Amino acid sequence: MANAASGMAVHDDCKLKFLELKVKRTYRSIVFKIEEKQKQVVVEHVGEPAETYEQFTEKLPADECRYAIFDFDFLTPEGVQKRRIFFIAWSPDTSRVRSKMIYASSKDRFKRELDGIQVELQATDRTEIVLDVIESRASTTDSRESSMEFRLSYKRLIQVRLKSYS
């Protein structure tokens, strides 16, 4: 199905590889490329489960746009093992303007095809995707989720108490 804004379709292999990463943890990362002639997003690279973050970032070209997924494992300050699936919109300053426009106009629809993305990053140079940034975003997302879970639990408690007074 084509994206009305950019005319880009999403190849079924993109969704399949993402599901394998998310559910089976078959891959550590996926790099996607827009094939302009075919007018679709396709899988360019997949990273094995043992792949490091540095190996993943080396797959992102210095002068071409890409979409990428990275399955990031980390420990919380409490020592709990957690996982975040990152979506990275890679659009280097040195890439062609036309390419930047196509990737930007296709991004939201493409992300909707990949259900389960937890953190999004937009990067224009390598300093915006260093490991420290990823770790920071993962823990920030984790603390926001904890805060939201607390608020929801508190709200449910209030509702239960209100019902008991009725």
Side-chain angles (χ1 to χ4, degrees), residues 54-158:
E54 290 73 23
Q55 290 169 325
F56 158 69
T57 58
E58 289 170 6
K59 292 179 185 174
L60 299 174
D63 57 354
E64 293 179 32
C65 298
R66 293 291 187 271
Y67 300 128
I69 297 290
F70 189 77
D71 188 0
F72 183 67
D73 293 317
F74 67 102
L75 286 175
T76 65
E78 297 81 25
V80 178
Q81 182 73 32
K82 292 271 185 151
R83 167 188 189 201
R84 291 286 174 263
I85 298 177
F86 278 79
F87 176 86
I88 299 172
W90 176 245
S91 184
D93 289 329
T94 55
S95 60
R96 297 177 312 149
V97 172
R98 175 177 165 74
S99 180
K100 289 179 192 179
M101 290 173 61
I102 290 171
Y103 275 80
S105 66
S106 303
K107 181 186 75 161
D108 288 337
R109 179 179 180 279
F110 180 62
K111 274 181 40 190
R112 281 194 301 271
E113 295 286 334
L114 308 178
D115 184 38
I117 293 169
Q118 297 163 312
V119 184
E120 179 182 346
L121 283 179
Q122 295 187 38
T124 57
D125 68 59
R126 299 222 180 257
T127 62
E128 296 174 328
I129 57 168
V130 294
L131 188 56
D132 289 345
V133 171
I134 297 296
E135 290 172 340
S136 172
R137 288 293 303 273
S139 61
T140 301
T141 302
D142 188 51
S143 65
R144 274 194 311 231
E145 283 181 2
S146 295
S147 175
M148 188 182 330
E149 287 171 10
F150 173 77
R151 284 190 301 242
L152 289 173
S153 296
Y154 185 72
K155 186 176 180 180
R156 282 189 210 113
L157 177 65
I158 300 275

